[in-house]
């Protein structure tokens, strides 16, 4: 368990887990080509569209990084399109797929941020460009095993973990295992909350981790729908826990929804993204009595990825942007501003950052269940939320 002072040291304990558990050609327009080659000979500014989703801290991160890039590359303009968490990034994916199927390129979407499930789905639909060091030299800064996991179709530019966040003034018996969490929930009715899993990753992690608690360890990397027949015990557990939840079964919307309940004192414990908690602690948006801890086995977490639609016509400009994102300069912003884990190897970071990761140990687990999360959400709505 950690207080604010030791929070950064805590969050670094997950980065080695990410690296251990984890094991992008192009069409060119004249402006993009000159931008990528760094010749500066084109007087025409190239603009590409970047769609990303997440909580406010994700938007804040890109509002820091994009101006830094544009200042260094005045011939490239990044058109940032933010899709707030909970409104769903699915329409963006659907737009890219529909554009491909109708012969309309990438639907004016040149870069897309999302999780592993979308990387996997896009691989099946043949949407993503294969990324390589030929176009993005700083890919050499990324652990190759991590790139192999996604067949070089995406860049893991940052990582985070879902943890337990709790009020240290009221929670003295801090859970250490999943079973401890369930026992605490039952012993403290209505003092625990998790968000609707379809509206944010923290709630989704709690639900998925609970379901897969009863399955073989390697099931968290199984995308075969046949495994759904083994979900019954997990859903029975979630249904039973419902009456002990906040409001006897009220599930807030979005990751921020449960953080708001913790801030107001309406609950004492929630699952939350580590970067969100640490960011809000630094900004004074969460009480300084808020602490975070990881349990055993850990909640699922992992990288967030950047994908380049294969049919984008602005790929050379996008490559240059991605190369910047994977630079130590940009990755320091990820660590400092977002409290995220760097997407590049620690040896490429400053000595100060490297030192902060000394003694890191494994924490969260990476889940790869493909599109099965959609079926989890549907079943959760009908069997848990609707009871």
């Amino acid at each position: 368990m950690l207080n604010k002072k030791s929070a950064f040291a805590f969050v670094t304990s997950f980065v080695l887990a990410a690296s251990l558990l984890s094991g992008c050609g192009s069409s060119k327009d004249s402006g993009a080509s000159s931008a990528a080659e760094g010749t500066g000979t084109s007087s025409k500014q190239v603009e590409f569209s970047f769609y990303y989703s997440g909580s406010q801290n994700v938007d804040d991160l890109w509002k820091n990084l994009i101006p830094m890039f544009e200042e260094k590359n005045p011939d490239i303009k990044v058109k940032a399109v933010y899709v707030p968490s909970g409104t769903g990034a699915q329409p963006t994916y659907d737009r890219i797929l529909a554009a491909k199927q109708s012969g309309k390129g990438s639907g004016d979407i040149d870069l897309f941020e999302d999780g592993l499930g979308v990387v996997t789905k896009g691989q099946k639909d043949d949407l993503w460009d294969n990324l390589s060091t030929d176009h993005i030299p700083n890919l050499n800064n990324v652990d190759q095993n991590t790139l192999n996991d996604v067949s070089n179709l995406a860049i893991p530019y940052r990582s985070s973990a879902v943890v337990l966040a709790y009020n240290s003034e009221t929670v003295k018996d801090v859970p250490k295992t999943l079973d401890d969490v369930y026992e605490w929930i039952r012993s403290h009715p209505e003092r625990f909350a998790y968000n609707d899993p379809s509206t944010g990753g923290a709630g989704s992690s709690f639900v998925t981790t609970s379901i897969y608690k009863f399955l073989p360890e390697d099931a968290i990397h199984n995308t075969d729908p046949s495994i759904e027949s083994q979900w019954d015990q997990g859903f029975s557990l979630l249904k039973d826990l419902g009456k002990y939840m906040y409001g006897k079964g009220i599930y807030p919307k979005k990751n921020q929804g449960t953080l708001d309940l913790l801030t107001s004192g309406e609950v004492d414990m929630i699952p939350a993204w580590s970067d969100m908690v640490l960011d809000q602690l630094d900004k004074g948006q969460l009480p300084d009595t808020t602490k975070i801890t990881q349990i055993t086995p850990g909640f699922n977490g992992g990288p967030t990825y950047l994908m380049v639609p294969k049919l984008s016509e602005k790929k050379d400009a996008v490559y240059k942007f991605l190369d910047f994102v994977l630079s130590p300069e940009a990755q320091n912003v990820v660590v400092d501003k977002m409290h995220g884990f760097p997407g590049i190897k620690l040896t490429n970071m400053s000595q100060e950052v490297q030192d902060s990761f000394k003694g890191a140990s494994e924490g969260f687990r990476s889940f790869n269940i493909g599109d099965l999360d959609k079926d989890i959400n549907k079943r959760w709505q009908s069997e848990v939320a609707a009871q």
Side-chain angles (χ1 to χ4, degrees), residues 24 130-142 144 147 152 155 319 323 326:
C24 206
N130 190 278
L131 307 174
S132 75
T133 55
D134 292 342
H135 300 102
I136 309 169
N138 278 334
L139 270 176
N140 282 316
N141 294 342
V142 180
Q144 188 58 48
L147 294 172
N152 278 64
I155 290 178
Y319 293 154
D323 199 55
L326 293 177

Side-chain angles (χ1 to χ4, degrees), residues 367-385:
F367 282 47
N368 182 10
I369 61 173
D371 292 336
L372 298 184
D373 59 331
K374 292 183 179 179
D375 292 338
I376 287 177
N377 291 342
K378 290 178 182 177
R379 187 168 173 182
W380 182 88
Q381 290 289 347
S382 64
E383 295 186 18
V384 180

Side-chain angles (χ1 to χ4, degrees), residues 118-131:
V118 171
V119 179
T120 303
K121 182 165 54 174
Q123 182 175 19
K124 294 177 182 177
D125 291 332
D126 193 28
L127 291 186
W128 311 133
D129 185 36
N130 190 278
L131 307 174

Side-chain angles (χ1 to χ4, degrees), residues 21 159-162 205 209 273 294 298-303 364-367:
L21 289 167
S159 192
S160 187
V162 173
S205 178
T209 302
W273 284 107
Q294 185 56 281
F299 289 115
N300 58 304
F364 68 86
R365 300 174 292 162
S366 282
F367 282 47

Side-chain angles (χ1 to χ4, degrees), residues 8 11 55-68 157-160 273-285 324 328-342 349 353:
F8 182 75
V11 76
S55 299
Q56 187 60 49
N57 60 340
V58 178
D59 191 31
D60 292 342
L61 174 68
W62 290 116
K63 285 179 177 177
N64 274 276
L65 288 176
I66 289 174
M68 290 172 59
Y157 82 97
R158 65 177 173 88
S159 192
S160 187
W273 284 107
S274 57
D275 54 352
M276 291 186 69
V277 175
L278 296 175
D279 180 61
Q280 293 184 29
L281 277 170
D282 270 1
K283 293 177 179 177
Q285 296 169 345
F324 165 75
E329 177 187 10
Q331 289 290 301
N332 269 313
V333 176
V334 172
V335 173
D336 294 339
K337 299 294 185 182
M338 199 175 181
H339 303 282
F341 317 145
M349 299 296 289
V353 173

